[in-house]
């Protein structure tokens, strides 16, 4: 019996060997071979040549309030790498602008601030196009409240916010919950006001049917204005678990509160869960991708439990939405392993935005290696470029995210090559998928 199995195995490997060539003898090793460093150098040189498609950014000048639909609460605690003391930001400013100083002392930072202010004043799209060119970024999604005249629509595509549709009623009880929500809620109300103005809706429609029409028309008009995806930052405001309430319940709640009054917590939640599904349905109709903030968040009251992307499983795996492309941005960090398994569903994708500059490249390498080893066609680069202050802007965070991702993915792939898992040729194909092809 044993002999037969051995004979069978030998026959199989013989046939397989003929079909697949010498690689059929390949067996991945648990430790990399000695030349991982050299493979890394070779790969990085070629990976630097790959034009990037950036799946998530807030390309902006620092004084432009349209950069995001929310703002940082005052006392938030910043991770080590993003503090002003990180010397990598000086390196970024030197690389992009020839910054002549070694720190951001106020009198030094002024040099950089003045330079950027002058560019902003000059207007035109050449400045941010130039930043992309310097980093070999071809296309970039700009997640903003509205597009800016200084962003070239050929290079920057708009991802608009939709959370404000979940908050049409009196939000005082929400805002009073904690300091973070006290900052976020008025900003959501402002975005909804803006959409109402855009759609000429002076008072909230009298019934749910009217409200749904307003929601759907706004989405359609945003798409006409160049929108390619809708974005939820719902994790900052509530759980990412959305139930599936019947329309009649939402209708009754809308009737009760659209003209005033403070809804009870569970009533508001039920209404939001219903409108959320209207938004997902409209995204499917319009072939718009749906982006979710799905990771830790800024602020002092962000709930990891509420923001855990596993909360979305019932939506991601709902056959009614099988035609909707879901993009779970920020890699679900710190739940990056759960995240890659969510992307096993054929319409679910993730990106490495935010996590790519929260952790150093050595750790990003580990995350990318795990992702690449599982579903390499479902992962994308994202910068989450964002201005931290007047001196360290979206420009420097673009740089940090791009350099981190290129070096980390080169290192992850060098290890896989040195372990005998993939060839160098295959490694470059995997790098192109992550940095460009999957998103494009
Ligand atoms: Zn972002």
């Amino acid at each position: 019996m044993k002999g037969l199995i051995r004979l069978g195995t030998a026959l199989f490997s013989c046939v397989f060997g003929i079909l697949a060539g010498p690689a059929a003898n390949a067996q991945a090793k648990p430790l990399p071979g000695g030349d991982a460093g050299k493979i890394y150098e070779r790969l990085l040189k070629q990976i630097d040549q790959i034009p990037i498609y950036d799946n998530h950014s807030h390309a902006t000048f620092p004084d432009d309030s349209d950069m995001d639909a929310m703002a940082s609460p005052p006392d938030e605690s910043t991770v080590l790498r993003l503090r002003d003391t990180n010397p990598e930001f000086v390196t970024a400013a030197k690389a992009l602008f020839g910054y002549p100083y070694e720190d951001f002392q106020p009198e030094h930072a002024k040099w950089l601030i003045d330079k950027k202010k002058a560019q902003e004043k000059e207007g035109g799209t050449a400045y941010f196009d130039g930043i992309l060119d310097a980093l070999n970024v071809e296309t970039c999604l700009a997640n903003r409240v509205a597009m800016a005249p200084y962003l070239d629509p050929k290079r920057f595509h708009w991802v608009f916010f939709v959370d404000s549709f979940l908050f049409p009623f009196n939000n005082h009880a929400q805002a009073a919950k904690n300091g973070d929500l006290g900052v976020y809620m008025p900003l959501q109300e402002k975005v909804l006001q803006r959409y109402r103005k855009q759609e000429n809706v002076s008072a909230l429609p009298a019934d749910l049917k009217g409200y749904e029409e307003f929601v759907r028309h706004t989405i359609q008009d945003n798409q006409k204005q160049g929108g390619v995806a809708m974005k939820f930052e719902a994790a900052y405001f509530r759980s990412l678990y959305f139930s599936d309430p019947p329309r009649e319940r939402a209708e009754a709640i809308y009737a009760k509160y659209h003209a005033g009054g403070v809804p009870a917590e569970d009533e508001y939640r039920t209404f939001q869960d219903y409108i959320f599904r209207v938004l997902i349905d409209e995204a499917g109709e319009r072939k718009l991708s749906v982006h979710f903030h799905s990771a830790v968040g800024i602020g002092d009251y962000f709930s990891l439990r509420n923001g855990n992307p596993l909360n979305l499983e019932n939506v991601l795996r709902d056959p009614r939405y099988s035609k909707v492309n879901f993009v779970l941005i920020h890699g679900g960090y710190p739940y990056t392993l759960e995240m890659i398994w969510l992307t096993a569903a054929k319409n679910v994708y993730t990106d490495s935005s935010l996590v790519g500059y929260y952790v150093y490249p050595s750790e990003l390498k580990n995350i990318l290696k795990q992702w690449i080893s599982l579903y390499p066609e479902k992962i994308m680069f994202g910068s989450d470029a964002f201005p931290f202050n007047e001196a360290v802007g979206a420009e420097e965070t673009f740089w940090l995210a791009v350099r981190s991702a290129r070096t980390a993915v080169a290192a992850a792939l060098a290890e896989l090559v040195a372990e005998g898992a993939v060839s160098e040729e295959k490694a470059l194909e995997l790098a192109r998928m992550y940095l460009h092809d999957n998103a494009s």
Side-chain angles (χ1 to χ4, degrees):
M1 189 65 191
K2 256 187 193 163
L4 272 179
I5 291 172
R6 225 174 276 142
L7 180 66
T9 314
L11 272 173
F12 175 76
S13 44
C14 178
V15 170
F16 195 69
I18 292 162
L19 290 176
N25 296 321
Q27 188 183 357
K29 301 186 291 279
L31 287 172
D35 52 357
K38 279 190 193 124
I39 300 169
Y40 169 78
E41 296 297 337
R42 280 200 299 275
L43 287 177
L44 183 59
K45 236 180 243 153
Q46 299 192 65
I47 284 171
D48 279 341
Q49 304 305 314
I50 300 173
I52 281 181
Y53 194 116
D54 182 350
N55 185 63
H56 178 75
S57 81
H58 305 270
T60 192
F61 285 111
D63 57 357
D64 181 348
S65 62
D66 284 348
M67 73 174 88
D68 203 337
M70 50 176 275
S72 312
D75 303 321
E76 64 146 333
S77 47
T78 308
V79 299
L80 178 68
R81 197 179 184 202
L82 297 186
R83 294 179 196 168
D84 297 344
T85 47
N86 180 2
E88 290 176 295
F89 288 124
V90 175
T91 310
K94 281 179 184 295
L96 290 170
F97 305 106
Y99 184 65
Y101 305 104
E102 302 304 320
D103 56 45
F104 291 116
Q105 298 284 341
E107 62 276 18
H108 294 163
K110 191 179 175 300
W111 184 95
L112 195 55
I113 295 166
D114 288 349
K115 206 173 174 73
K116 291 176 178 179
K117 282 242 159 79
Q119 290 290 345
E120 187 175 9
K121 223 174 177 176
E122 208 174 289
T125 56
Y127 175 68
F128 272 99
D129 277 359
I131 299 291
L132 295 193
D133 291 341
L135 299 169
N136 194 15
V137 177
E138 169 204 274
T139 312
C140 182
L141 297 190
N143 185 200
R144 301 173 49 93
V145 176
M147 274 307 262
Y150 54 79
L151 296 179
D152 176 359
K154 283 197 217 75
R155 307 283 295 274
F156 293 90
H157 300 160
W158 187 32
V159 177
F160 57 86
F161 291 96
V162 290
D163 301 277
S164 60
F165 295 118
L166 306 181
F167 298 99
F169 306 140
N170 184 316
N171 295 306
H172 286 142
Q174 306 284 320
K177 276 188 196 163
N178 60 54
D180 290 359
L181 286 167
V183 172
Y184 303 151
M185 275 305 116
L187 291 170
Q188 289 305 312
E189 290 172 349
K190 236 172 101 183
V191 177
L192 191 65
Q193 282 292 345
R194 196 162 166 158
Y195 283 152
R196 280 170 57 179
K197 207 170 154 207
Q198 173 183 312
E199 301 296 316
N200 286 316
V201 172
S202 51
L204 280 180
D207 57 16
L208 182 61
K209 182 169 177 288
Y211 188 69
E212 285 182 55
E213 277 167 12
F214 158 62
V215 170
R216 289 185 190 269
H217 285 158
T218 311
I219 303 305
Q220 290 159 23
D221 288 336
N222 284 355
Q223 187 177 32
K224 279 180 204 147
Q225 289 168 41
V228 295
M230 61 171 68
K231 157 92 181 286
F232 286 95
E233 12 190 45
Y236 280 102
F237 318 124
R238 48 157 290 159
S239 165
L240 285 179
Y241 176 76
F242 291 90
S243 69
D244 192 6
R247 188 172 187 283
E248 307 82 74
R249 279 182 62 201
E251 199 167 24
I253 295 163
Y254 187 86
K256 201 167 156 191
Y257 296 109
H258 79 276
V262 181
E265 180 88 23
D266 62 327
E267 289 177 309
Y268 216 157
R269 181 65 44 90
T270 300
F271 175 79
Q272 291 175 356
D273 292 356
Y274 176 79
I275 290 297
F276 169 82
R277 286 168 186 275
V278 171
L279 286 159
I280 300 295
D281 182 67
E282 189 61 27
E285 292 287 318
R286 304 284 140 209
K287 296 198 169 25
L288 287 161
S289 297
V290 178
H291 288 205
F292 287 98
H293 175 102
S294 58
V296 286
I298 56 172
D300 276 332
Y301 298 93
F302 186 88
S303 163
L304 276 173
R305 185 189 297 269
N306 283 348
N308 187 326
L310 287 181
N311 285 310
L312 285 166
E313 204 167 24
N314 63 324
V315 172
L316 305 177
R317 297 281 195 177
D318 188 327
R320 287 174 295 173
Y321 309 135
S322 61
K323 296 253 154 24
V324 180
N325 275 341
F326 292 107
V327 184
L328 307 186
I329 64 170
H330 312 324
Y333 185 75
Y335 309 109
T336 53
L337 183 55
E338 284 88 338
M339 175 56 77
I340 197 63
W341 284 104
L342 287 174
T343 73
K346 62 181 184 312
N347 55 330
V348 180
Y349 299 81
T350 191
D351 76 20
S352 62
S353 61
L354 181 138
V355 47
Y357 59 47
Y358 263 34
V359 300
Y360 283 93
S362 55
E363 182 61 14
L364 181 61
K365 176 207 72 180
N366 296 334
I367 294 167
L368 290 175
K369 188 176 172 187
Q370 191 165 56
W371 284 1
I372 288 170
S373 306
L374 292 165
Y375 292 105
E377 57 288 317
K378 306 309 278 296
I379 63 171
M380 300 177 282
F381 168 80
S383 67
D384 208 6
F386 198 91
F388 291 113
N389 52 52
E390 273 196 294
V392 177
E395 301 92 327
E396 284 79 9
T397 46
F398 263 129
W399 183 92
L400 189 65
V402 165
R403 287 318 306 156
S404 299
R406 288 193 195 275
T407 53
V409 78
L413 290 165
E415 287 186 3
L416 287 170
V417 171
E419 291 162 17
V422 298
S423 67
E424 275 190 56
E425 195 188 350
K426 180 71 182 169
L428 286 170
E429 184 193 326
L430 292 166
R432 276 192 294 273
M433 287 161 68
Y434 163 62
L435 291 171
H436 182 276
D437 296 357
N438 292 342
S440 119

